[in-house]
Amino acid sequence: MLKNQVMKLFGIEYPIIQAPMAGGVTTSRLVAAVSNSGGLGMIGAGYLSPEQLREQVKEVRQLTSGYFGVNLFVPNEYRVKEKEVQAALERLHPVRSQLKIQSAEPVLPVYEKDLAIFHEQIQVVIDDKVPVCSFTFGIPSEEVIRALKEQNTILIGTATTVKEAIEVEKRGMDMVVVQGSEAGGHRGDFMEGSNESLIGLMSLIPQTVDSVGIPVIAAGGIMDGRGLMACVCLGAKAVQMGTAFLTCIESGAHPEHKAAILKSTEDKVVLTRAFSGKWARGIQNQFIAGMRGDENTLPEFPVQNALTQVIRKTAAAQNNPEYMSLWSGQSPRLAKSVTVEELIKDIMDEAKTILTAVQ
Amino acid sequence: MLKNQVMKLFGIEYPIIQAPMAGGVTTSRLVAAVSNSGGLGMIGAGYLSPEQLREQVKEVRQLTSGYFGVNLFVPNEYRVKEKEVQAALERLHPVRSQLKIQSAEPVLPVYEKDLAIFHEQIQVVIDDKVPVCSFTFGIPSEEVIRALKEQNTILIGTATTVKEAIEVEKRGMDMVVVQGSEAGGHRGDFMEGSNESLIGLMSLIPQTVDSVGIPVIAAGGIMDGRGLMACVCLGAKAVQMGTAFLTCIESGAHPEHKAAILKSTEDKVVLTRAFSGKWARGIQNQFIAGMRGDENTLPEFPVQNALTQVIRKTAAAQNNPEYMSLWSGQSPRLAKSVTVEELIKDIMDEAKTILTAVQ
């Protein structure tokens, strides 16, 4: 495989990007291991404070001299609806009781505060000259894009439909990650109606490649050399893999989360709004099952996320996977407990074998 | 690409199967053109009477000396719930008025009758020594499988999850079509809970290939050489393409149906139970939009199908796409109005170009 423009821009040997999973998964050790093994490591900074982000960027730089990136959540305006919140809290009460949670009711998020934090995160990316910055849940403002481009930061948008990818290009991003319906974690849709589409990569990659001029990076269900080669055939310049790196030794995912993926099957992976108010894909557990009937009436992101935070934290502390958010893509049968170096070597070896076999 | 076992068994030059679309799409001309162009043509016989099937098999044989196949729907027991039917009829009444339908209320289906017709269809396949027979909505009985195998008919099951594919193999089918969430038309799920999974091909193909010994055929969103090569990389031995053949010159799809696909985009393609009572993927129109709120309370297949038949037929006669079932996979942007021969040539040319490019 010849070096394509994405690999050249990132200075990487293989067209493999580690998905920026938020919530403690992307430890500095994981990010650096990916960059040191020929891929691009990404810090999932969506939930990090500016100080934590600055600290982690420093830490990653001590562990690798390679390129790496940061992913940020673009804040979207939301309204805290008192009635909805009360109903959700009542709905969550039995879970709190079951986990013996004594703490006071959660503090609700404030949009203006989220936006201020986002701008501070951007300032860290600028100050520390982070080489790559990707965005989820939307496209940042013109000012933010201009400021980052002045630093030569490579900008990546996230899209779940061709229309979103076209918008990402129009607004000046350098590349676009297309997130197939197979992907684990939060859906990255940001345009009206996109959320219903749930387009699989077999459809999403070629239709996007035909419609935009910027490089397309594929994400969703890709776990090995077969997935990498398939995405390359469909026209993607690189793949972004989440679940495959989540179960790696270096990942900071909770041991119960890793274990749940390693023993799961494709039909146990479902979409739910119960944890955060935004649709996300993870392994079915008691929490999701219990909230099934309320999926459409829960508060929106990040309100529901704030309401369930103590539940997720307590469940993690109690090693109880039934109330943790066990994000996973649709290919859990292909997950392995290996080092990042082994994973990337296996992927590239398999890709080479396929290339020989299809001749 | 070397000839694989599927191509050898089918005596075909290219690993391309035309999906057996029911409802008049798979004319003898279409089926024969596919077989004459190096692929495998399939008669979508789900809604054909035994007499019609016998007639079409004869017709196809007059147009091609190549292999071809027949697809049948395996009947599943259902109950006609009087209240549900009444509610659905009331729901459909404004649509009937709008289309000026004067006919009496529809005749409801009877499971025992469906089963008798299925056995007669099987008898046609046996009598006429049809070389290939595939099944949707389930796996036929042991007796049926044995009778077909005695005639050396190659049997293909349809699966939407790895678990269903394992069951298809266990019950003695020779191959399995895995239907990704991208696929147009009816979902082929038949095991409890499968319907919720909606697994994309990027996840479904490799996990199935690892779990069964029989050849895996991929279906869903595949439209060109890129899709073919991607599926081969993921481990599929052939692809089954529906929408790509539906818009071909030789297809019997309604001109308004073809036109709707040719101008549609990926985000307009939705899942609905409104037409038949079974989840199916098609282009959003007024009928689907109007039934949105009732999706989960409609009678099951084939009851709802019987209730809407006159609506679909009348809309077709009136050239009104807003009340027809416009089945389509998630890749409508890749659909073309070409002959079958051109389509297959384009696919194979593109596949060869990709093979050279990825070196």
Side-chain angles (χ1 to χ4, degrees):
Chain A
M1 237 178 311
L2 289 175
K3 271 219 180 323
N4 65 44
Q5 72 226 80
V6 171
M7 293 158 74
K8 276 183 203 154
L9 269 171
F10 290 155
I12 55 179
E13 199 173 345
Y14 310 121
I16 299 171
I17 301 168
Q18 161 249 312
M21 297 162 279
V25 176
T26 59
T27 56
S28 301
R29 216 180 132 213
L30 177 72
V31 175
V34 175
S35 292
N36 287 334
S37 303
L40 182 75
M42 295 283 294
I43 300 171
Y47 299 129
L48 295 186
S49 71
E51 298 69 35
Q52 288 172 317
L53 175 55
R54 200 179 294 275
E55 195 50 45
Q56 191 170 357
V57 167
K58 206 163 111 188
E59 216 174 63
V60 169
R61 282 226 161 94
Q62 284 163 355
L63 297 171
T64 183
S65 58
Y67 265 45
F68 66 96
V70 160
N71 174 269
L72 299 176
F73 293 165
V74 179
N76 290 288
E77 267 191 271
Y78 54 88
R79 284 192 307 155
V80 176
K81 294 177 193 156
E82 205 41 58
K83 264 192 181 166
E84 235 177 41
V85 169
Q86 279 314 315
L89 283 175
E90 270 167 45
R91 200 60 206 74
L92 295 170
H93 194 76
V95 179
R96 290 175 62 104
S97 300
Q98 193 175 334
L99 300 184
K100 301 192 169 46
I101 296 171
Q102 309 285 346
S103 69
E105 295 295 358
V107 180
L108 295 178
V110 180
Y111 170 65
E112 289 69 24
K113 225 164 129 182
D114 298 351
L115 197 63
I117 291 173
F118 175 70
H119 284 288
E120 288 179 56
Q121 290 171 325
I122 292 288
Q123 201 51 53
V124 174
V125 172
I126 292 173
D127 291 347
D128 292 358
K129 298 188 168 42
V130 175
V132 180
C133 189
S134 73
F135 297 92
T136 317
F137 306 147
I139 304 170
S141 68
E142 218 176 300
E143 295 69 42
V144 166
I145 293 175
R146 199 181 312 124
L148 288 167
K149 286 207 161 182
E150 275 172 20
Q151 294 281 349
N152 294 316
T153 301
I154 300 165
L155 303 184
I156 308 177
T158 306
T160 65
T161 63
V162 178
K163 277 182 195 160
E164 287 184 346
I166 290 170
E167 188 65 21
V168 162
E169 176 173 48
K170 211 171 94 185
R171 300 274 291 277
M173 300 273 124
D174 300 305
M175 302 177 190
V176 61
V177 168
V178 290
Q179 183 191 38
S181 57
E182 298 92 342
H186 284 102
R187 301 287 307 151
D189 59 277
F190 62 90
M191 281 169 82
E192 194 77 34
S194 295
N195 150 42
E196 280 207 35
S197 312
L198 281 173
I199 301 159
L201 281 185
M202 195 60 69
S203 291
L204 187 55
I205 300 173
Q207 291 182 100
T208 306
V209 167
D210 289 350
S211 306
V212 301
I214 54 175
V216 173
I217 299 160
I222 307 156
M223 304 289 281
D224 54 24
R226 293 175 290 186
L228 168 63
M229 288 309 299
C231 292
V232 168
C233 288
L234 291 168
K237 296 288 184 224
V239 294
Q240 181 170 288
M241 300 167 62
T243 312
F245 283 109
L246 192 150
T247 58
C248 277
I249 309 294
E250 295 93 335
S251 125
H254 194 290
E256 290 288 343
H257 188 172
K258 293 185 184 184
I261 292 174
L262 290 167
K263 70 176 183 220
S264 188
T265 53
E266 74 295 343
D267 54 331
K268 301 271 166 48
V269 181
V270 298
L271 281 171
T272 182
R273 284 183 69 230
F275 285 110
S276 72
K278 203 184 263 294
W279 289 105
R281 192 179 289 289
I283 296 168
Q284 169 91 283
N285 60 10
Q286 282 175 27
F287 183 74
I288 297 174
M291 302 289 283
R292 212 56 170 153
D294 304 280
E295 285 284 8
N296 292 311
T297 56
L298 296 170
E300 65 183 319
F301 183 88
V303 182
Q304 178 72 0
N305 198 54
L307 301 187
T308 66
Q309 190 182 32
V310 64
I311 291 170
R312 289 176 282 122
K313 284 206 168 168
T314 307
Q318 295 174 358
N319 295 312
N320 182 353
E322 293 300 335
Y323 295 91
M324 293 163 54
S325 54
L326 306 170
W327 303 141
S328 169
Q330 288 189 315
S331 311
R333 290 181 196 252
L334 307 181
K336 292 183 289 189
S337 177
V338 291
T339 65
V340 165
E341 196 187 345
E342 286 168 325
L343 177 67
I344 292 183
K345 189 183 177 303
D346 286 354
I347 294 170
M348 295 315 300
D349 284 350
E350 198 178 22
K352 275 170 213 146
T353 307
I354 290 168
L355 263 182
T356 315
V358 294
Q359 296 308 311
Chain B
M1 236 178 311
L2 290 175
K3 271 219 179 326
N4 65 45
Q5 72 228 79
V6 171
M7 293 157 74
K8 277 182 203 154
L9 269 171
F10 290 155
I12 55 179
E13 201 174 343
Y14 309 122
I16 298 171
I17 301 167
Q18 161 249 313
M21 297 163 279
V25 177
T26 61
T27 56
S28 301
R29 213 178 135 215
L30 176 73
V31 175
V34 176
S35 291
N36 287 334
S37 303
L40 183 76
M42 296 284 293
I43 301 171
Y47 300 129
L48 294 187
S49 72
E51 297 70 35
Q52 289 172 317
L53 176 56
R54 200 179 297 273
E55 196 50 45
Q56 192 170 358
V57 167
K58 207 163 108 188
E59 215 174 64
V60 169
R61 280 224 164 94
Q62 284 163 353
L63 297 172
T64 183
S65 59
Y67 265 45
F68 67 96
V70 159
N71 174 269
L72 299 175
F73 293 166
V74 179
N76 291 287
E77 269 191 89
Y78 54 88
R79 282 192 307 154
V80 177
K81 294 177 193 156
E82 207 40 60
K83 265 192 181 166
E84 237 177 38
V85 170
Q86 279 315 316
L89 282 175
E90 272 167 45
R91 201 60 206 72
L92 294 171
H93 194 75
V95 179
R96 289 174 62 104
S97 301
Q98 191 173 336
L99 300 185
K100 303 194 170 39
I101 296 172
Q102 309 285 348
S103 69
E105 295 295 358
V107 180
L108 295 177
V110 181
Y111 170 65
E112 288 70 23
K113 226 164 127 182
D114 298 350
L115 197 62
I117 292 174
F118 175 70
H119 284 288
E120 288 178 58
Q121 290 171 324
I122 292 287
Q123 201 52 52
V124 174
V125 173
I126 292 173
D127 291 347
D128 291 356
K129 297 190 169 40
V130 175
V132 180
C133 189
S134 74
F135 297 93
T136 317
F137 306 148
I139 305 171
S141 68
E142 217 175 302
E143 295 69 42
V144 166
I145 293 175
R146 199 180 311 122
L148 288 167
K149 286 206 162 187
E150 274 172 20
Q151 294 281 350
N152 294 317
T153 301
I154 300 166
L155 303 182
I156 309 177
T158 306
T160 65
T161 63
V162 178
K163 278 183 193 157
E164 287 184 345
I166 291 170
E167 189 64 20
V168 162
E169 175 172 47
K170 212 171 97 187
R171 300 273 291 278
M173 299 276 122
D174 299 306
M175 303 177 188
V176 62
V177 168
V178 290
Q179 183 192 36
S181 57
E182 298 91 343
H186 284 102
R187 301 288 307 151
D189 58 279
F190 61 91
M191 282 169 83
E192 192 77 36
S194 294
N195 151 42
E196 280 208 36
S197 310
L198 281 174
I199 300 159
L201 280 186
M202 195 60 68
S203 290
L204 187 55
I205 301 172
Q207 292 181 99
T208 306
V209 167
D210 289 350
S211 305
V212 301
I214 54 176
V216 173
I217 298 161
I222 306 156
M223 304 289 282
D224 54 24
R226 295 175 289 186
L228 168 63
M229 288 309 300
C231 292
V232 168
C233 287
L234 291 167
K237 296 287 184 223
V239 294
Q240 183 172 286
M241 299 166 64
T243 312
F245 284 109
L246 192 150
T247 58
C248 276
I249 309 294
E250 295 92 336
S251 126
H254 194 288
E256 290 288 345
H257 188 172
K258 292 186 184 184
I261 292 174
L262 290 167
K263 69 175 184 220
S264 187
T265 52
E266 76 295 342
D267 54 331
K268 301 270 165 49
V269 181
V270 299
L271 283 171
T272 182
R273 284 182 70 231
F275 284 109
S276 72
K278 203 184 263 295
W279 289 105
R281 192 180 288 289
I283 296 168
Q284 171 91 281
N285 60 9
Q286 282 175 28
F287 183 73
I288 297 175
M291 301 290 282
R292 214 53 171 156
D294 304 279
E295 285 285 7
N296 292 311
T297 57
L298 297 170
E300 64 183 318
F301 183 88
V303 182
Q304 177 73 2
N305 199 55
L307 301 188
T308 66
Q309 191 182 30
V310 66
I311 292 170
R312 289 176 282 123
K313 284 205 167 167
T314 307
Q318 296 174 357
N319 295 313
N320 182 353
E322 294 300 335
Y323 295 91
M324 294 162 56
S325 54
L326 306 170
W327 303 143
S328 169
Q330 289 188 317
S331 311
R333 289 181 195 251
L334 307 181
K336 293 183 288 189
S337 177
V338 290
T339 65
V340 165
E341 196 187 345
E342 286 169 326
L343 177 68
I344 293 183
K345 188 183 176 304
D346 285 355
I347 295 170
M348 295 314 300
D349 284 350
E350 196 177 22
K352 274 170 213 145
T353 307
I354 291 168
L355 263 181
T356 316
V358 294
Q359 296 309 311

